[in-house]
Amino acid sequence: MILKNIIPDLYTFSILVDGFCKEGRVKEAKNVLAMMMKQGIKPDVVTYSSLMDGYCLVNEVNKAESIFNTMSHRGVTANVRSYSIMINGFCKIKMVDEAMKLFKEMHRKQIFPDVITCSALIDGLCKSGRISYALEHVDEMHDRGQQPDIITYNSILDALCKKTSC
Amino acid sequence: MRFHLDQVSYGTLINGLCKVGETRAALELLRRVDGKLVQPNVVMYNTIIDSMCKDKLVNDAFELYSEMVAKRISPNVVTYSALISGFCIVGKLKDAIDFFLIK
């Protein structure tokens, strides 16, 4: 592509960043980001979110958080996907309170959680033994007319099974 | 009123078929119009290549890319982005990078 003088755009770069991140190759993803910025192409919420997802995948949630903050400092507004990634990241390293904080922040900013956001939080709550809170969130989903999916129910089922076995 | 469908109308039809998941039918339509009704253009090829990539049919997409190059229809940034995305989706990151840098 580059050899043929076809200039990659924001989408091409974002696709590559995402590709590297999904394989956990965050360092290379950062190189792509540097390359795009050198060409004067500003990363958008999709690019930043992919990078955050990559850091979460390799358990460097603090770095994902720093990208999340950098993004808003650069005037790029976080969307439901960015929040879901951070909430999932925090939940996976058992920082459920941080995840809850972000969930409340979404509500304040009127960014509506989707089934992915809720499932991430519910899984975090379940794995930290806060099943009643998790069930409350399932009720809230129903109240919003949102249907929990197989992933949501699996988290709940897992937590309930583990609870009765002890 | 009699009129003939042009490149834009066939492009729209191909896009519509791809959007409802009928990538094969879109390809058939391309084959049917090719050289007889209208000349296929980069947009028609891009639409089908992108749809194939999303369906993880990256080899088929690559074949179609080779076909358009052979027909001297120049691929553009959209063609490349679709293929790079396809390679990433099926975990062929090396091919994605090759495509980005060289091909």
Side-chain angles (χ1 to χ4, degrees):
Chain A
M1 177 173 197
I2 289 176
L3 270 188
K4 285 187 183 156
N5 270 331
I6 295 170
I7 317 284
D9 61 9
L10 171 64
Y11 298 101
T12 328
F13 280 116
S14 297
I15 287 163
L16 260 187
V17 168
D18 192 58
F20 277 120
C21 285
K22 285 218 165 75
E23 300 276 324
R25 292 161 66 174
V26 191
K27 217 177 141 194
E28 283 149 292
K30 279 213 87 170
N31 289 342
V32 176
L33 192 82
M35 194 173 163
M36 77 183 273
M37 287 174 89
K38 215 173 134 190
Q39 304 227 353
I41 301 170
K42 283 188 186 143
D44 69 353
V45 63
V46 176
T47 335
Y48 282 120
S49 298
S50 293
L51 205 58
M52 282 155 47
D53 209 14
Y55 275 124
C56 287
L57 188 71
V58 295
N59 283 322
E60 294 188 62
V61 185
N62 56 334
K63 286 195 179 156
E65 192 185 13
S66 127
I67 302 274
F68 186 72
N69 295 330
T70 309
M71 183 171 87
S72 72
H73 287 149
R74 288 188 184 156
V76 178
T77 316
N79 62 14
V80 60
R81 180 169 169 247
S82 355
Y83 273 100
S84 296
I85 288 166
M86 283 316 300
I87 287 171
N88 186 46
F90 280 129
C91 284
K92 287 279 187 304
I93 57 162
K94 307 265 185 286
M95 288 174 69
V96 187
D97 289 326
E98 286 297 316
M100 284 290 292
K101 225 168 82 185
L102 282 182
F103 194 77
K104 282 176 189 152
E105 189 180 301
M106 283 180 84
H107 187 73
R108 265 203 318 279
K109 292 188 175 169
Q110 293 208 309
I111 298 168
F112 299 104
D114 59 15
V115 65
I116 299 173
T117 331
C118 296
S119 295
L121 186 67
I122 287 167
D123 190 61
L125 288 166
C126 283
K127 290 216 166 78
S128 61
R130 288 143 82 171
I131 305 173
S132 53
Y133 283 108
L135 289 170
E136 261 176 43
H137 276 284
V138 176
D139 285 341
E140 277 176 25
M141 283 178 83
H142 282 301
D143 292 344
R144 282 197 297 266
Q146 218 166 31
Q147 196 62 39
D149 65 8
I150 184 82
I151 298 173
T152 334
Y153 283 119
N154 279 346
S155 298
I156 302 271
L157 277 173
D158 183 59
L160 290 173
C161 287
K162 279 181 181 145
K163 192 183 168 198
T164 45
S165 65
C166 11
Chain B
M1 194 169 75
R2 284 185 66 82
F3 60 89
H4 292 287
L5 297 181
D6 62 4
Q7 276 187 329
V8 179
S9 12
Y10 281 115
T12 308
L13 276 172
I14 287 174
N15 187 31
L17 285 167
C18 287
K19 270 195 182 143
V20 295
E22 297 285 348
T23 315
R24 287 283 140 205
L27 185 62
E28 268 172 41
L29 182 61
L30 180 80
R31 296 278 178 253
R32 220 185 303 159
V33 300
D34 191 356
K36 286 168 241 154
L37 301 166
V38 292
Q39 284 303 319
N41 60 12
V42 62
V43 177
M44 297 179 196
Y45 273 100
N46 283 351
T47 308
I48 303 178
I49 287 174
D50 184 57
S51 193
M52 283 175 165
C53 285
K54 283 182 178 139
D55 290 343
K56 299 186 182 178
L57 300 167
V58 189
N59 291 339
D60 294 355
F62 182 75
E63 258 178 46
L64 208 55
Y65 158 82
S66 308
E67 181 187 304
M68 71 186 278
V69 173
K71 284 187 176 172
R72 302 196 176 280
I73 300 169
S74 299
N76 60 17
V77 60
V78 179
T79 330
Y80 280 100
S81 298
L83 277 163
I84 291 169
S85 168
F87 286 127
C88 286
I89 289 171
V90 297
K92 289 184 171 174
L93 215 50
K94 201 186 162 291
D95 289 326
I97 301 163
D98 273 356
F99 234 81
F100 179 70
L101 295 173
I102 308 155
K103 278 178 185 154

